């Protein structure tokens, strides 16, 4: 009994400081791609670019297995085709959670379920079943004691809002008020968050020149072009902030508050057809880099300045199989070989990530622990690899996994010995990659990337707005160290109660 009281006190204390962790930038991973890389190769790319949060548009078993023990925070999705069955039968929801969530946690850090994608605007006939689907999934999580780790929500487009400017006057489409009210009631009661797909590119194109391009790209506006809400006199430096505030105000119009917004999709196409003149590589590079800087300052929009804007970029690869205009197939950050579609830059430093021409030897994803341990012991012993960097307190110790430590040791041995016949095999537990596995301050031997990546380092655990876990960490936000002192509690204490 005393132990339970102590745990409740710790959880309460941690709750008081749950908002000190910084905002993150994650990436969506679409699969309508010719020559889609294997799941292990995708994970290697994520780690090379220090991407700590991903959203999957399904619950692909290969990806969930490959993401195990990486520390990368994962949002899985119920497809639009699955929503109806899950909403009609609680047993279907329970089976879905058992198969796609419980089977992978805690090894795979799944922290959210996105139920459908823009269901209210793309499948309006399914609207009545959407909230029951969300509720059935949440009940299944409760039954599995996973409801504190995994939150449930549903992504909505800006089309659910009648008019987004001025933000202070924004309201949801009246025809959707009943369903959205139910969604907001669910989000509030489960301490979840509102998922928003916000695309300044589309809003700019639809505005027909009313708003300047610079406003959509986060570029400074001249004094005569300032965007000001006439009701609040808030100045909006970017359309991104205005769209988020329009959503907060629409939520408030239905008498709800305290529900944070997570941007589940945003981005800019790097190429388009003749009638899409603003879909260019230069604009995409500007938008994404400015977005990263915007999110990493940990502030919210003018109406909610203390609420950071956790954001997922759309998307990792160009989905060349998608139908529609040319721009639809050109939203990716990377080509399938791991090289960047355009440079990701911070200040004066170019972030080229996977463009290194070096080859690296890393642990093969899926290799069994005993073989990895044997390989690690040999590399650091008879193989004479320098394993100082993976000792506790050193830059490559975290994530503290065999996969990470073996990758560092294997690569150090390989880089030093390949000129005299050394190979990358280690009993079949190693593989060659051209993607630089360096991250944060951890530099792998042979790395030419000394400036770091565009995304924070992996394995920091959940840092989303609904996260219940916390620890004392130094979070690398795009080259800036932000010390976030929080409770040293990363186990799921709720399971003891």
């Amino acid at each position: 009994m005393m132990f339970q009281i102590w745990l409740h006190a710790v959880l309460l204390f941690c709750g008081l400081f749950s908002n000190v962790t910084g905002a993150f930038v994650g990436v969506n991973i679409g699969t309508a791609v010719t020559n889609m890389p294997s799941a292990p190769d995708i994970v290697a790319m994520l780690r090379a670019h220090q991407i700590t949060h991903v959203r999957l548009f399904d619950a692909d078993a290969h990806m969930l297995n490959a993401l195990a023990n990486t520390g990368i925070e994962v949002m899985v999705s119920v497809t639009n085709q699955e929503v109806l069955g899950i909403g009609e039968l609680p047993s279907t929801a329970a089976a879905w959670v058992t198969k796609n969530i419980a089977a992978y946690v805690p090894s795979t850090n799944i922290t959210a379920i996105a139920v459908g994608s823009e269901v209210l605007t793309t499948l309006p006939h399914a609207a009545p079943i959407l909230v029951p689907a969300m509720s059935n999934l949440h009940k299944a999580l409760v039954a599995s004691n996973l409801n504190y780790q995994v939150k449930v929500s549903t992504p909505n487009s800006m089309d659910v809002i009648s008019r987004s400017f001025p933000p202070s006057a924004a309201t949801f489409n009246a025809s959707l008020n009943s369903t959205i009210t139910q969604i907001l009631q669910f989000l509030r009661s489960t301490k979840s968050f509102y998922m928003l797909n916000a695309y300044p590119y589309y809003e700019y194109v639809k505005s027909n020149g009313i708003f300047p391009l610079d406003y959509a790209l986060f570029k400074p506006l001249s004094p005569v072009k300032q965007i000001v809400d006439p009701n609040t006199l808030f100045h909006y430096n970017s359309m991104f902030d205005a769209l988020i505030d329009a959503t907060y105000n629409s939520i408030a119009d239905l008498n709800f508050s305290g529900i944070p917004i997570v941007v589940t999709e945003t981005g800019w196409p790097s190429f388009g057809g003749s009638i899409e003149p603003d879909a260019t590589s230069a604009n995409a590079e500007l938008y994404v880099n400015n977005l990263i800087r915007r999110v990493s300052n940990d502030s919210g929009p003018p109406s909610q300045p203390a609420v950071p804007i956790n954001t997922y970029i759309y998307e990792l690869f160009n989905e060349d199989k998608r139908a529609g205009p040319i721009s639809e197939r050109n939203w990716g950050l990377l080509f399938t070989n791991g090289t960047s579609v355009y440079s990701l830059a911070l200040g004066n430093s170019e972030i080229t990530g996977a463009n290194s021409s070096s080859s690296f030897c890393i642990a093969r994803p899926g290799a069994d622990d005993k073989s990895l341990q044997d390989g690690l012991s040999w590399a650091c012993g008879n193989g004479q690899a320098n394993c100082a960097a993976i000792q506790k307190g050193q830059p490559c110790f975290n994530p503290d996994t065999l996969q990470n430590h073996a990758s560092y040791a294997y690569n150090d041995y390989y880089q030093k010995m390949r000129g005299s016949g050394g190979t990358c095999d280690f009993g079949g537990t190693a593989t060659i990659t051209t993607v630089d596995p360096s991250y944060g301050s951890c530099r792998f031997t042979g790395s030419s990337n000394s400036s770091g990546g565009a995304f924070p380092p992996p394995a920091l655990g959940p840092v989303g707005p609904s996260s219940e876990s916390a620890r004392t960490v130094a979070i690398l936000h795009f080259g800036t160290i932000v010390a976030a002192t929080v409770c040293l509690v990363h186990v799921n204490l709720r399971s003891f109660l």
Side-chain angles (χ1 to χ4, degrees):
M1 183 66 177
M2 289 300 294
F3 180 63
Q4 288 181 327
I5 294 173
W6 177 81
L7 284 176
H8 279 294
V10 170
L11 287 169
L12 178 61
F13 180 78
C14 288
L16 295 175
F17 294 90
S18 62
N19 64 341
V20 300
T21 53
F24 64 75
V25 176
V27 176
N28 288 272
I29 304 177
T31 57
V33 179
T34 302
N35 300 320
M36 184 75 173
S38 68
D41 285 346
I42 293 172
V43 172
M45 294 178 198
L46 296 174
R47 297 184 70 183
H49 288 273
Q50 301 159 41
I51 297 171
T52 61
H53 295 72
V54 298
R55 175 190 172 206
L56 308 180
F57 287 97
D58 50 25
D60 180 73
H62 298 292
M63 280 300 301
L64 292 175
N65 279 318
L67 286 161
N69 302 311
T70 62
I72 295 173
E73 188 169 323
V74 185
M75 179 187 294
V76 296
S77 298
V78 171
T79 65
N80 284 353
Q81 292 73 26
E82 295 173 306
V83 170
L84 187 62
I86 289 174
E88 289 180 336
L89 291 173
S91 59
T92 302
W96 195 95
V97 167
T98 298
K99 176 184 177 182
N100 299 305
I101 306 294
Y104 298 99
V105 296
S107 297
T108 303
N109 189 16
I110 301 172
T111 58
I113 301 173
V115 183
S117 178
E118 302 183 355
V119 171
L120 298 184
T121 48
T122 60
L123 292 171
H125 66 277
I129 208 72
L130 178 58
V131 176
M134 296 166 67
S135 180
N136 287 343
L137 288 166
H138 176 72
K139 290 174 182 176
L141 291 170
V142 171
S144 300
N145 197 32
L146 292 172
N147 54 301
Y148 290 108
Q149 176 180 340
V150 184
K151 296 301 177 181
V152 178
S153 188
T154 184
N156 287 307
S157 72
M158 286 299 301
D159 290 337
V160 300
I161 293 175
S162 298
R163 189 180 65 172
S164 61
F165 197 87
S168 61
T171 59
F172 288 115
N173 187 318
S175 66
L176 298 173
N177 277 356
S178 176
T179 301
I180 292 177
T181 296
Q182 294 175 54
I183 291 173
L184 295 174
Q185 288 171 336
F186 172 86
L187 298 180
R188 182 172 62 186
S189 66
T190 61
K191 296 181 173 59
S192 188
F193 44 88
Y194 185 97
M195 294 180 175
L196 171 67
N197 293 349
Y199 286 98
Y201 170 76
Y202 289 130
E203 300 299 321
Y204 166 73
V205 171
K206 286 192 300 183
S207 74
N208 291 319
I210 294 175
F211 296 108
L213 179 61
D214 287 352
Y215 176 56
L217 295 174
F218 298 90
K219 293 179 69 177
L221 300 175
S222 67
V224 296
K225 291 185 178 181
Q226 293 294 305
I227 308 298
V228 180
D229 187 312
N231 301 315
T232 62
L233 299 184
F234 286 147
H235 285 244
Y236 286 92
N237 296 320
S238 72
M239 186 179 286
F240 179 77
D241 280 70
L243 295 178
I244 294 169
D245 252 358
T247 306
Y248 272 123
N249 282 295
S250 297
I251 292 172
D253 182 65
L254 292 179
N255 297 315
F256 288 88
S257 61
I259 300 172
I261 291 172
V262 171
V263 177
T264 36
E265 292 180 28
T266 192
W268 198 281
S270 61
F271 186 70
S274 59
I275 60 172
E276 302 172 298
D278 300 300
T280 68
S281 179
N283 285 344
E285 183 177 332
L286 267 174
Y287 181 83
V288 169
N289 285 304
N290 286 335
L291 171 74
I292 291 171
R293 294 188 186 96
R294 167 64 189 90
V295 173
S296 67
N297 72 19
D298 291 343
S299 66
S303 78
Q304 306 284 334
V307 184
I309 310 169
N310 294 322
T311 300
Y312 293 82
I313 297 172
Y314 184 85
E315 58 185 330
L316 188 61
F317 302 117
N318 288 327
E319 291 189 274
D320 60 307
K321 293 182 179 181
R322 289 183 65 88
I326 293 173
S327 62
E328 280 297 303
R329 297 181 284 282
N330 290 280
W331 291 81
L333 298 175
L334 305 180
F335 294 110
T336 53
N337 64 0
T339 58
S340 302
V341 173
Y342 45 80
S343 294
L344 298 175
L346 176 65
N348 295 323
S349 62
E350 287 276 318
I351 300 168
T352 55
N355 289 327
S356 170
S357 60
S358 302
S359 61
F360 301 87
C361 179
I362 61 171
R364 184 183 298 278
D368 68 89
D369 286 354
K370 184 181 184 304
S371 298
L372 280 177
Q373 185 62 64
D374 290 344
L376 174 62
S377 299
W378 186 89
C380 295
N382 293 340
Q384 299 183 11
N386 183 353
C387 297
I390 54 176
Q391 303 308 306
K392 191 170 184 178
Q394 298 305 306
C396 299
F397 176 74
N398 284 321
D400 182 14
T401 64
L402 273 174
Q403 185 85 22
N404 183 61
H405 292 180
S407 290
Y408 185 89
Y410 288 3
N411 182 68
D412 190 81
Y413 167 83
Y414 174 71
Q415 299 294 344
K416 292 175 180 176
M417 301 302 294
R418 63 177 173 172
S420 54
T423 62
C424 179
D425 184 72
F426 295 93
T429 65
T431 185
I432 292 289
T433 179
T434 58
V435 177
D436 187 346
S438 301
Y439 57 92
S441 59
C442 176
R443 306 260 60 85
F444 273 55
T445 307
S447 171
S448 61
N449 180 3
S450 60
S451 61
F455 299 87
L460 297 182
V463 295
S466 60
S467 173
E468 297 289 340
S469 61
R471 60 177 75 181
T472 299
V473 294
I475 303 174
L476 180 64
H477 281 290
F478 316 107
T480 301
I481 297 294
V482 180
T485 304
V486 290
C487 303
L488 186 60
V489 181
H490 189 56
V491 295
N492 185 0
L493 297 178
R494 303 282 184 177
S495 63
F496 289 98
L497 303 180

